[in-house]
Amino acid sequence: LLLVDEPVAALDPAHQLMVMRLLADEARAGRIVLAVLHDVGLALRLEPEPRLRRGVAYEPHDARLLD
């Protein structure tokens, strides 16, 4: 289980993508990755998995994630 809270908050865009790719690789390898992100656009770049927002689970690409 990998828990990360705002892992890219202080990074430039290139390094943000690098970290997000590493997290996605970990998830594809079968590890559970729970990431807290406030950048919805960056969060939506992850592999399509259910997401939580304000304690409510949403399916990937649910338009309500952008509200």
Side-chain angles (χ1 to χ4, degrees):
L1 174 62
L2 181 59
L3 301 173
V4 292
D5 182 12
E6 290 293 331
V8 297
L11 301 178
D12 61 80
H15 287 98
Q16 286 180 349
L17 291 177
M18 182 180 75
V19 169
M20 296 305 290
R21 286 185 189 122
L22 288 171
L23 293 174
D25 289 346
E26 291 295 312
R28 279 191 292 277
R31 293 173 187 85
I32 297 171
V33 178
L34 178 60
V36 176
L37 302 167
H38 290 99
D39 183 337
V40 175
L42 190 58
L44 291 173
R45 290 176 153 234
L46 292 176
E47 294 295 315
E49 296 292 332
R51 292 166 174 81
L52 291 175
R53 182 168 186 219
R54 296 185 180 124
V56 177
Y58 294 92
E59 290 298 317
H61 309 293
D62 188 318
R64 292 174 294 175
L65 284 168
L66 301 174
D67 290 339

